[in-house]
Amino acid sequence: MSHYLFQTRIEEPIYLEPRDMSFLRTRVSEAETQAENFECQIRAYEAQISELMRHRDARLVEIASCRNILSPIRRMPLEILSKIFQLSCLPDDGTWSHRYNLSSKVYAICGVCVAWRKAFHGTPRLWTKLCLNRKKHHKAFWGEVEYIHEWISRSGSLPLDFYLDISLERGPIGVASQSPSSYLPILSLAPSSLPLLEDVSFNVVDLGYDDFPGKIDVFSKAPKLKHVEIDFFEPSILERLRLPMEQLTSLKINDCEDLELFSDNPVVYVDILGQCKNLVYLHIELPWDDAFIRSCNNISIFFPALKSLNIPCYETGDGLYILSCLTTPLLEDLTLQYCGQKSSDIVAEVTDFQRRSAFVLSSLTLDSFNGKEFTEHLITMLSLFPSVHSFRMEEIFGVNHLLRALTCVEGDLNSILLPKLTHLALNQQRIAIGDYQLELTRMVFSRWWLGEASDLGVDAYDVASHSNKLVRLKNLTLRGFHYNIALISELPGLEVYYEAPRANRE
């Protein structure tokens, strides 16, 4: 019988004697008694383990609580913590827009702990920017605006920067996915509805909806509105939009490139500019057609406070140009964009503009000018502004001609261009082609003039002979040029920023 007890598998029939059956029953009884004893012991041990685990968890909670109290973040002043929150919410590219999903970052920070949530909620300046667009915040455009009310209330009395995109998504057949009636009421608010508004930016593509307001007065009585930027392909927005032009200090208008749309009523632009008496900054890009130029030629627009002007130079059939109607006695920063106007006409217009305004320019930017074809006229133009200390050229063609014009020639100090130049920037988006390394090096040394260029084979100048005529070049920016920057990067007193052509960086 005993040999059956240790077999895991029995395949043949078993014939038991009465004593064998008694023996097996006794073994079963004894095993059941032992199993019950083991079960009792297990329950006792489980109770002890449960108690031990409870004590362990209590100690872990105590440890976490103590570490929480000891955490350096708990001892950080609220002002510093709030500053960290503010920096962590900045866009990666540093540009605020309706596309930036600010709310996701805010909710992530507030979800860390109660203390952080209270600190964030209790700091009004962290709620002074609100970015909304239909794609990421579609519920808000359908009326679920409770969190927007909370957001605005947490900003307190501080000014709110509101970035709003209400553009429509269109299908392949040009049908709008949603009527603008759900959000156009904001444009129909009373003129006194935005008492703290300081800055507004529009990007208008299409006003072809029946329910779009014919007149937009909501901004007309915003007492603090100073900065306006308008990008549009629909010129009639300016006829509908009523702005307090007389109180604006900054205005930027980028119009459509469609002359047929633009020429519908070009006089509206003249009227707007005539109202902007307190502008400090003006950037205007319009497809100047002959009708507009003729409108400007018969009037005089005086900007008594304007300090910065960015304007294109278009060629027109009548030989009339926008600068001919402007007078800006306090102008300090001028940007001219080359758009086809003859170089001789540009110089004549700028000369007359400077003579009429008598401004003292400190910064000049020329965009997309051809140095080779424009050299003689460029020299004439630059000679008008001996006070300029910052000169920048964008998208340069024929760079060697420009470099030669800027190079100081020993013995001819009276004809030096831009004698007060301290900051020079040459920016090229396309890869600059040509052998300009020697010309660039010679120009830099001629304006740095410390007399240590002999090792490079470049003529040095006597410091004393330049000291009463020139201001030393202090800052040089080069973008998009193939250049051995080591030639000038170690010159004492000269800060150099160099960015290789994109093809090289990649």
Side-chain angles (χ1 to χ4, degrees):
M1 171 53 67
S2 61
H3 68 279
Y4 285 117
L5 296 176
F6 301 101
Q7 294 184 18
T8 58
R9 184 173 181 176
I10 302 174
E11 297 180 354
E12 69 275 5
I14 298 176
Y15 301 98
L16 299 176
E17 296 292 337
R19 66 175 181 275
D20 294 331
M21 297 177 66
S22 177
F23 171 76
L24 291 174
R25 290 190 180 100
T26 301
R27 290 291 297 268
V28 170
S29 178
E30 291 175 353
E32 288 177 346
T33 300
Q34 291 177 356
E36 291 179 359
N37 291 336
F38 288 141
E39 186 68 28
C40 291
Q41 293 181 42
I42 290 173
R43 286 195 293 270
Y45 288 137
E46 287 179 342
Q48 293 180 30
I49 291 173
S50 179
E51 182 66 16
L52 291 173
M53 292 179 66
R54 187 180 65 81
H55 287 297
R56 182 204 61 181
D57 291 344
R59 299 289 79 78
L60 291 176
V61 171
E62 182 180 354
I63 292 171
S65 178
C66 292
R67 286 179 175 173
N68 190 24
I69 296 173
L70 290 172
S71 175
I73 197 69
R74 297 295 178 187
R75 301 190 298 275
M76 182 178 293
L78 179 60
E79 293 79 7
I80 297 178
L81 184 61
S82 299
K83 186 62 177 179
I84 293 174
F85 291 161
Q86 186 176 10
L87 294 175
S88 66
C89 288
L90 291 176
D92 294 336
D93 60 359
T95 302
W96 291 95
S97 74
H98 59 268
R99 300 180 183 88
Y100 181 52
N101 195 0
L102 174 61
S103 58
S104 64
K105 286 198 173 184
V106 170
Y107 294 142
I109 294 174
C110 293
V112 171
C113 64
V114 174
W116 281 26
R117 184 162 60 252
K118 288 183 177 179
F120 206 106
H121 285 186
T123 307
R125 74 171 181 272
L126 299 177
W127 302 91
T128 56
K129 297 186 183 296
L130 178 58
C131 307
L132 292 177
N133 67 77
R134 293 182 64 252
K135 185 175 181 180
K136 293 185 176 70
H137 311 96
H138 59 277
K139 291 184 178 180
F141 288 88
W142 287 101
E144 297 183 20
V145 295
E146 181 178 355
Y147 86 94
I148 297 180
H149 287 298
E150 294 177 354
W151 192 296
I152 295 175
S153 66
R154 288 171 185 152
S155 67
S157 59
L158 296 179
L160 178 68
D161 293 336
F162 189 21
Y163 302 88
L164 174 65
D165 176 28
I166 56 177
S167 61
L168 298 178
E169 297 178 358
R170 295 181 175 273
I173 59 174
V175 178
S177 61
Q178 178 187 341
S179 169
S181 59
S182 62
Y183 44 78
L184 284 182
I186 190 175
L187 301 180
S188 300
L189 293 174
S192 60
S193 300
L194 303 172
L196 298 180
L197 183 67
E198 296 181 357
D199 190 329
V200 63
S201 175
F202 299 92
N203 189 326
V204 182
V205 177
D206 189 359
L207 302 183
Y209 296 100
D210 294 336
D211 46 2
F212 203 98
K215 294 294 182 182
I216 304 173
D217 293 320
V218 62
F219 307 106
S220 63
K221 294 185 179 179
K224 295 188 176 182
L225 182 59
K226 301 293 184 182
H227 311 279
V228 172
E229 179 176 349
I230 306 175
D231 294 296
F232 54 94
F233 293 89
E234 176 59 75
S236 64
I237 181 63
L238 286 178
E239 298 182 59
R240 304 190 189 194
L241 187 62
R242 294 180 179 176
L243 296 168
M245 308 304 296
E246 67 284 350
Q247 71 187 41
L248 298 184
T249 59
S250 175
L251 176 62
K252 181 177 181 180
I253 300 179
N254 296 320
D255 195 1
C256 66
E257 297 181 358
D258 190 337
L259 279 174
E260 292 183 0
L261 289 174
F262 170 79
S263 59
D264 286 345
N265 189 9
V267 181
V268 66
Y269 300 96
V270 179
D271 293 339
I272 286 175
L273 293 177
Q275 299 174 45
C276 300
K277 299 300 184 181
N278 291 306
L279 281 183
V280 176
Y281 171 82
L282 174 61
H283 182 164
I284 186 165
E285 295 186 17
L286 302 174
W288 311 100
D289 69 343
D290 293 349
F292 177 76
I293 298 299
R294 284 193 296 270
S295 300
C296 293
N297 193 55
N298 297 323
I299 65 172
S300 176
I301 302 177
F302 181 64
F303 293 116
L306 192 70
K307 294 186 177 181
S308 180
L309 175 63
N310 189 322
I311 199 167
C313 300
Y314 282 98
E315 181 178 12
T316 66
D318 289 347
L320 306 172
Y321 308 103
I322 182 62
L323 283 180
S324 62
C325 71
L326 301 182
T327 303
T328 59
L330 297 184
L331 190 66
E332 298 176 358
D333 175 30
L334 175 62
T335 298
L336 298 176
Q337 307 167 42
Y338 181 75
C339 299
Q341 187 178 357
K342 294 180 180 179
S343 58
S344 57
D345 292 337
I346 294 177
V347 172
E349 185 176 2
V350 172
T351 301
D352 185 62
F353 176 47
Q354 200 280 335
R355 177 190 56 77
R356 182 175 60 256
S357 300
F359 50 76
V360 179
L361 207 63
S362 61
S363 177
L364 175 64
T365 298
L366 302 180
D367 191 348
S368 301
F369 283 79
N370 190 318
K372 181 178 181 180
E373 298 178 2
F374 197 64
T375 301
E376 294 184 4
H377 299 108
L378 176 65
I379 294 173
T380 302
M381 180 186 292
L382 295 182
S383 64
L384 297 173
F385 309 115
S387 59
V388 165
H389 63 76
S390 177
F391 178 50
R392 185 172 79 251
M393 286 201 73
E394 305 280 350
E395 293 301 310
I396 311 162
F397 302 92
V399 66
N400 272 339
H401 298 273
L402 170 65
L403 295 174
R404 294 189 192 106
L406 291 176
T407 300
C408 302
V409 180
E410 188 175 12
D412 191 18
L413 301 182
N414 293 327
S415 61
I416 293 175
L417 292 177
L418 307 182
K420 304 300 181 182
L421 184 66
T422 60
H423 291 67
L424 174 63
L426 305 176
N427 301 325
Q428 185 76 21
Q429 295 297 325
R430 307 178 186 89
I431 298 177
I433 299 175
D435 183 13
Y436 43 77
Q437 186 155 274
L438 179 61
E439 298 289 352
L440 178 56
T441 305
R442 179 177 288 127
M443 183 276 295
V444 171
F445 273 98
S446 75
R447 288 186 170 271
W448 177 69
W449 43 268
L450 283 182
E452 298 181 4
S454 57
D455 293 340
L456 298 174
V458 180
D459 293 337
Y461 298 107
D462 178 69
V463 175
S465 66
H466 291 72
S467 59
N468 296 326
K469 301 292 184 179
L470 288 176
V471 174
R472 179 191 298 178
L473 184 66
K474 298 178 180 179
N475 186 286
L476 175 65
T477 298
L478 292 175
R479 291 188 178 93
F481 291 87
H482 294 284
Y483 183 69
N484 182 8
I485 199 63
L487 295 175
I488 58 175
S489 60
E490 300 299 326
L491 295 179
L494 178 65
E495 295 182 4
V496 179
Y497 176 82
Y498 176 68
E499 187 175 297
R502 186 175 300 276
N504 284 9
R505 298 198 302 272
E506 295 175 352

